[in-house]
Amino acid sequence: MRRTSAAWAGWALCLCASLAMSAQDYPEDDEMVLDLIREDGTRAETGAEPAAEFLKCKKAAWRMPGQFLVVLRQGSRDSHVQRTIRRLRAKAASRGSPLEVLQTYSGALHGFLVKMSSDVLHLALKLHQVHYIEEDSSIFAQSAPWNLQRLLQPHGGTSENGTYRPPNDGGMAEVYLMDGGVQVSHREIEGRVLITDFNNVPEEDGVRVHRQASQCDSHGTHMAGVVSGSDSGVARGAGVNLVRVLNCQGKGTVSGALAGLEYIRATLQSRPVAAVVVLLPFIGGFSRSLNAACRDMVASGVVVVAAAGNYRDDACLYSPASEPEVITVGAVNSADQLMSQGAGGTNFGRCVDLFAPGDDIVSASSDCSTCFTSRSGTSQAAAHAAGVAAVFLSSNQNASPVQVLQVMLRYSVSNTINFLSLSDTSRLITPNLVAAMPPANGTNGELLCRSVWSERSGVTSTDEAVSRCRRGEEMMSCSGYTPDGDHVGETITVHGGQMECVAHSAPGVKGAFAVARCCVTGGLQCGVHASPEPGRDAECVGTQHHLTGCASRSAASMSSDSRPHGAGRRRCVVEDGVTSHAVCCRAPSLECNLLVNRSADDDQVEVSCPSGWTLTDCSAVSQGSAIMQPDASGNSCRVRGATGANGAAGVAVCCRVRPTQPDTTPH
């Protein structure tokens, strides 16, 4: 971790625009200086013109109080500079006021840089040869930090000079930050952070005196800066409410987090807010209680964002990262590679929804009110995602938590992360998605889908794996997959009105995964129709329903794939002895088509939908056997024929909500 001053590199070159201010323009401090000038009994030096101008930066946060550039009149020489310094020292000494000359200038202008109090400033303004005095201020390098650039670049959100300009500032959203202390006087977040009256933290290990929150606000200050800092923040207009659940060592308890979530829930019930994000930049061992509290929070309409964890491990082993209703965020570096921290690094796996910048992130430091520091971790990544959610919610206040997630996934950058450091299974189920800012026009009602992987089943013939969609999503297809390549079959069941995708294991198979394709769009409704008996096709009933996916299982065959039929596109075709399930969906202006891509011999072929269309299902077709592998990141799947299968074909179902303008239909 490194500290930088307020003029730290990595920012837009925003040379502070100074201005000459008339008396009515001065705030209280500067009015006092003018009053001193008017009331002081010292007359201007002989031959001197009226008091010199006093200039200052337009942006108060960039000013450096007490440090001034004294610039002499045109035609002055070095001797005039030294003479003016001596006279100012004498006047300051006569009043017992400190004065420190830091630098002299003799190039484009003649003058000096000086630290002095306001009562000496008014004397300097009346010195002969002084043309004007400018308060010193910060300048910044000409580019946004890499993390903010990364959020905007995919969709052209940066301006020509590289400054950070999101679609809006997130000002209509509130973020509840569950963390330690926050230095609210920091210039990055001043006026943006409310310290709530909630405080539930454990005693510190090995510390006799329990420190106050104001004495340990490093992590929280950095988090608040990433979310809504004036220069380092993602959503710079969002309000941040601190709910303190971590002590000065960054440690809390599950019970304290539960109490904090209850506090937030009670606050929102008494003072409803349309757009709310709860940020959980911490992690603990798997906790059913903590997951349940997060799930309940999401059910109330709140977007909950959590850190995936920094243990280079499966995020499903930790809470709240393992809760399916939470948006769980892993961390990448500036090269879009997995963040690494010595022996640790970002967590991964099916419980991670997406990744975000989390390495070498510059934000507010609690060391001083103008200090910045660099930190790394999935806490920082989660703060970026929370900021993106706040920006989106500010212009889409009626969006549900799952709609926010689907939009974030839709506009993430896919397949840029190198997963070679992960195991084969982890590479398969970890989404290769890096967060980016959705464009200002949003989704325009398009169909949004994501793949939801189950945990791996056991290896006996009775073991099953189950995948479910989140609240507010509809399941448009169900697939079973095994790393061995054997298709063991899947079925779709309904519990409590919700479809479940069930993949079946078998002897000799190293476990199975169930993969549900979960989607949202306005008015989407899906149901499942089973084949009347084994060997007969399952089909959709009613002209308004579209076939979006096929599932099948045979008790006698290891390869029991079912596929949509090309004619009419309303039936799932099966072989003798195979039971099939057809997923049938309807929505206003929904349309679906089949896309077939063939491979030669046993070559692998990728099947993906054209731009504007969304993949809802994929199946493999071969004269022998074929292997279909879903893509954890979204809109494609891979199919390859088994050895000697003489080629294979991938059959994809591509759907969309029909646009208002004519578009190309996939063939």
Side-chain angles (χ1 to χ4, degrees):
M1 184 176 69
R2 65 174 183 274
R3 186 201 309 180
T4 56
S5 69
W8 44 282
W11 284 106
L13 177 58
C14 301
L15 289 176
C16 197
S18 299
L19 73 161
M21 304 177 74
S22 59
Q24 64 268 24
D25 295 324
Y26 278 72
E28 184 177 351
D29 291 355
D30 308 314
E31 192 66 54
M32 179 189 71
V33 172
L34 290 179
D35 289 342
L36 287 170
I37 294 172
R38 299 188 191 104
E39 297 171 2
D40 181 60
T42 307
R43 300 177 60 86
E45 296 183 1
T46 305
E49 296 182 7
E53 290 181 297
F54 177 39
L55 311 175
K56 67 191 309 179
C57 182
K58 290 180 180 179
K59 289 189 174 288
W62 297 354
R63 298 171 187 164
M64 301 178 68
Q67 190 162 300
F68 304 93
L69 289 162
V70 179
V71 179
L72 304 190
R73 300 183 186 281
Q74 190 172 4
S76 297
R77 298 186 297 274
D78 290 350
S79 60
H80 294 127
V81 173
Q82 296 303 322
R83 185 180 306 139
T84 303
I85 291 175
R86 288 195 298 272
R87 289 176 176 172
L88 186 58
R89 285 188 189 280
K91 291 181 178 290
S94 67
R95 295 194 169 224
S97 299
L99 183 143
E100 181 183 3
V101 176
L102 304 175
Q103 175 81 41
T104 60
Y105 304 93
S106 59
L109 48 80
H110 281 77
F112 53 95
L113 176 66
V114 60
K115 281 189 175 182
M116 57 185 173
S117 59
S118 56
D119 62 331
V120 178
L121 171 61
H122 85 277
L123 298 174
L125 285 166
K126 299 197 303 184
L127 287 176
H128 183 56
Q129 292 293 131
V130 174
H131 181 35
Y132 64 87
I133 296 178
E134 178 180 340
E135 185 180 46
D136 203 2
S137 57
S138 300
I139 61 172
F140 307 97
Q142 193 178 356
S143 65
W146 78 266
N147 49 305
L148 298 183
Q149 287 190 35
R150 191 58 44 83
L151 291 179
L152 293 183
Q153 280 177 345
H155 309 294
T158 50
S159 64
E160 292 183 0
N161 65 1
T163 57
Y164 175 74
R165 293 184 180 176
N168 62 70
D169 66 357
M172 301 301 293
E174 287 192 16
V175 178
Y176 280 84
L177 171 62
M178 297 181 67
D179 208 297
V182 172
Q183 186 186 97
V184 295
S185 61
H186 197 286
R187 63 104 160 163
E188 271 289 278
I189 54 178
E190 190 172 14
R192 290 177 167 87
V193 179
L194 171 67
I195 306 296
T196 70
D197 57 1
F198 182 87
N199 185 21
N200 189 320
V201 300
E203 295 292 328
E204 297 172 47
D205 297 334
V207 177
R208 292 184 178 180
V209 180
H210 193 56
R211 290 176 284 179
Q212 298 297 315
S214 59
Q215 297 175 308
C216 53
D217 44 22
S218 179
H219 188 268
T221 301
H222 200 268
M223 288 293 96
V226 174
V227 173
S228 67
S230 59
D231 288 323
S232 61
V234 177
R236 298 174 179 178
V240 175
N241 303 280
L242 177 69
V243 177
R244 189 168 184 246
V245 296
L246 302 180
N247 65 18
C248 294
Q249 296 169 328
K251 183 178 180 180
T253 62
V254 168
S255 58
L258 290 174
L261 289 168
E262 285 194 359
Y263 173 86
I264 295 171
R265 185 176 178 83
T267 301
L268 294 176
Q269 287 175 344
S270 62
R271 186 181 62 86
V273 178
V276 182
V277 180
V278 172
L279 173 56
L280 310 177
F282 55 80
I283 204 164
F286 182 87
S287 167
R288 181 183 296 182
S289 300
L290 183 53
N291 284 7
C294 292
R295 186 164 59 251
D296 182 70
M297 182 69 70
V298 175
S300 69
V302 175
V303 175
V304 180
V305 180
N310 302 338
Y311 299 102
R312 205 190 296 262
D313 200 358
D314 183 356
C316 294
L317 301 176
Y318 303 88
S319 289
S322 56
E323 169 50 43
E325 297 290 329
V326 165
I327 299 176
T328 299
V329 190
V332 292
N333 61 21
S334 59
D336 280 345
Q337 301 307 308
L338 297 178
M339 181 210 69
S340 178
Q341 289 182 320
T346 182
N347 284 354
F348 46 81
R350 65 182 182 87
C351 288
V352 174
D353 292 296
L354 75 169
F355 293 82
D359 185 63
D360 194 24
I361 305 302
V362 177
S363 181
S365 167
S366 61
D367 290 342
C368 73
S369 62
T370 58
C371 292
F372 289 80
T373 191
S374 172
R375 284 177 172 263
S376 300
T378 54
S379 289
Q380 280 68 27
H384 281 83
V388 171
V391 170
F392 178 74
L393 282 170
S394 285
S395 55
N396 300 272
Q397 295 187 44
N398 293 325
S400 67
V402 75
Q403 286 173 325
V404 173
L405 168 64
Q406 287 275 12
V407 168
M408 290 176 67
L409 298 182
R410 162 66 176 83
Y411 289 102
S412 293
V413 181
S414 61
N415 299 318
T416 62
I417 309 174
N418 187 335
F419 281 162
L420 288 179
S421 62
L422 303 182
S423 68
D424 290 343
T425 299
S426 295
R427 285 201 297 270
L428 177 68
I429 63 178
T430 302
N432 199 319
L433 298 170
V434 178
M437 186 70 70
N441 59 1
T443 62
N444 292 324
E446 66 182 297
L447 177 67
L448 302 177
C449 297
R450 66 190 184 97
S451 296
V452 180
W453 288 68
S454 70
E455 62 180 333
R456 196 174 192 168
S457 74
V459 297
T460 69
S461 58
T462 58
D463 288 327
E464 298 175 344
V466 181
S467 179
R468 304 174 183 86
C469 296
R470 296 190 189 193
R471 188 189 307 267
E473 293 177 318
E474 293 286 336
M475 186 184 297
M476 296 188 78
S477 72
C478 166
S479 302
Y481 177 78
T482 64
D484 316 68
D486 293 315
H487 180 229
V488 296
E490 61 279 332
T491 55
I492 300 175
T493 60
V494 178
H495 286 289
Q498 182 183 28
M499 287 195 291
E500 295 181 343
C501 176
V502 182
H504 303 273
S505 186
V509 174
K510 298 177 181 178
F513 292 96
V515 186
R517 194 71 172 148
C518 302
C519 308
V520 295
T521 194
L524 180 63
Q525 294 180 333
C526 296
V528 59
H529 294 269
S531 54
E533 60 185 30
R536 292 186 59 182
D537 299 344
E539 59 182 320
C540 296
V541 179
T543 58
Q544 293 182 329
H545 285 86
H546 298 268
L547 178 64
T548 61
C550 293
S552 61
R553 187 191 183 202
S554 171
S557 174
M558 287 292 291
S559 181
S560 57
D561 208 4
S562 172
R563 66 184 185 279
H565 193 280
R569 307 182 182 93
R570 300 179 57 77
R571 293 189 291 122
C572 296
V573 180
V574 294
E575 299 175 352
D576 290 342
V578 177
T579 301
S580 180
H581 289 87
V583 181
C584 307
C585 300
R586 68 176 182 177
S589 301
L590 180 69
E591 57 183 354
C592 299
N593 285 285
L594 298 185
L595 185 67
V596 180
N597 201 357
R598 300 184 182 277
S599 70
D601 299 324
D602 59 351
D603 291 340
Q604 179 171 284
V605 60
E606 182 168 315
V607 188
S608 60
C609 294
S611 176
W613 294 75
T614 299
L615 179 77
T616 63
D617 190 29
C618 187
S619 57
V621 182
S622 173
Q623 291 182 355
S625 60
I627 300 168
M628 187 278 294
Q629 177 180 317
D631 182 357
S633 302
N635 217 31
S636 66
C637 67
R638 289 177 290 278
V639 173
R640 66 178 174 87
T643 303
N646 194 26
V651 181
V653 180
C654 301
C655 299
R656 69 173 180 176
V657 173
R658 189 182 303 111
T660 54
Q661 298 297 325
D663 201 354
T664 304
T665 298
H667 299 291

